[in-house]
Amino acid sequence: MHQALVDAMHDYFDAGMTMDLDRLDAIYDDEFENLRVDRAGRSITLSKDQFMARFRALKAQGETVGESVDDATFPASNVFGDHALIVMRRVENDEPSQYAFVWRLADGRPATILRELTFDHDISYLLAMVAAAQS
């Protein structure tokens, strides 16, 4: 199962880096949520709609979410019932970041991302951006 999850993650990364909004919309489960936590203990939960709105805004501005995820490693995975968890580690701007993705399985294969847990250095920028969008 680990390789199937790694392959699904790379498909997800490709969709994000090419700004393929239809593919991203299909990859994110309708119940998708991203829980982000930083070193100061701040946290925020983002919905699929918020994620997709951000992707649409970036694409409209001609921007992307990155060029490479060659530094990503996947040290652990686990299958439980109709779900699977894969842990990812990256080093961005000399700061290690860790993520955990919960995938919904269909016929034993990764189908959609249900949850993403992100452990960031600092999410103050994100909290400010969401607060500004809600004003």
Side-chain angles (χ1 to χ4, degrees):
M1 174 52 68
H2 184 79
Q3 189 58 50
L5 286 167
V6 170
D7 293 345
M9 290 298 299
H10 283 288
D11 183 51
Y12 166 58
F13 297 148
D14 182 65
M17 289 184 292
T18 61
M19 299 304 284
D20 186 335
L21 300 183
D22 290 335
R23 211 159 99 208
L24 285 169
D25 188 55
I27 291 171
Y28 288 123
D29 196 273
D30 289 341
E31 298 177 32
F32 172 81
E33 289 183 337
N34 173 228
L35 172 61
R36 292 179 175 254
V37 179
D38 71 11
R39 290 184 182 176
R42 294 174 290 224
S43 67
I44 188 169
T45 300
L46 303 170
S47 68
K48 176 181 179 174
D49 288 343
Q50 289 170 304
F51 250 58
M52 291 306 299
R54 181 71 179 135
F55 279 117
R56 282 190 292 278
L58 287 170
K59 186 170 185 171
Q61 297 169 4
E63 296 182 35
T64 64
V65 292
E67 296 177 11
S68 173
V69 288
D70 291 342
D71 64 329
T73 60
F74 303 96
S77 67
N78 188 302
V79 175
F80 48 101
D82 291 337
H83 298 87
L85 170 81
I86 186 163
V87 175
M88 181 180 80
R89 183 180 187 279
R90 293 189 68 197
V91 177
E92 300 169 277
N93 301 321
D94 295 322
E95 287 291 330
S97 297
Q98 295 182 29
Y99 308 79
F101 293 85
V102 177
W103 284 79
R104 191 181 303 266
L105 303 178
D107 298 322
R109 307 277 308 156
T112 57
I113 299 174
L114 184 62
R115 297 287 186 272
E116 177 183 344
L117 295 92
T118 308
F119 304 94
D120 277 328
H121 177 70
D122 179 9
I123 63 168
S124 58
Y125 74 95
L126 182 59
L127 293 169
M129 186 171 46
V130 169
Q134 293 174 345
S135 297

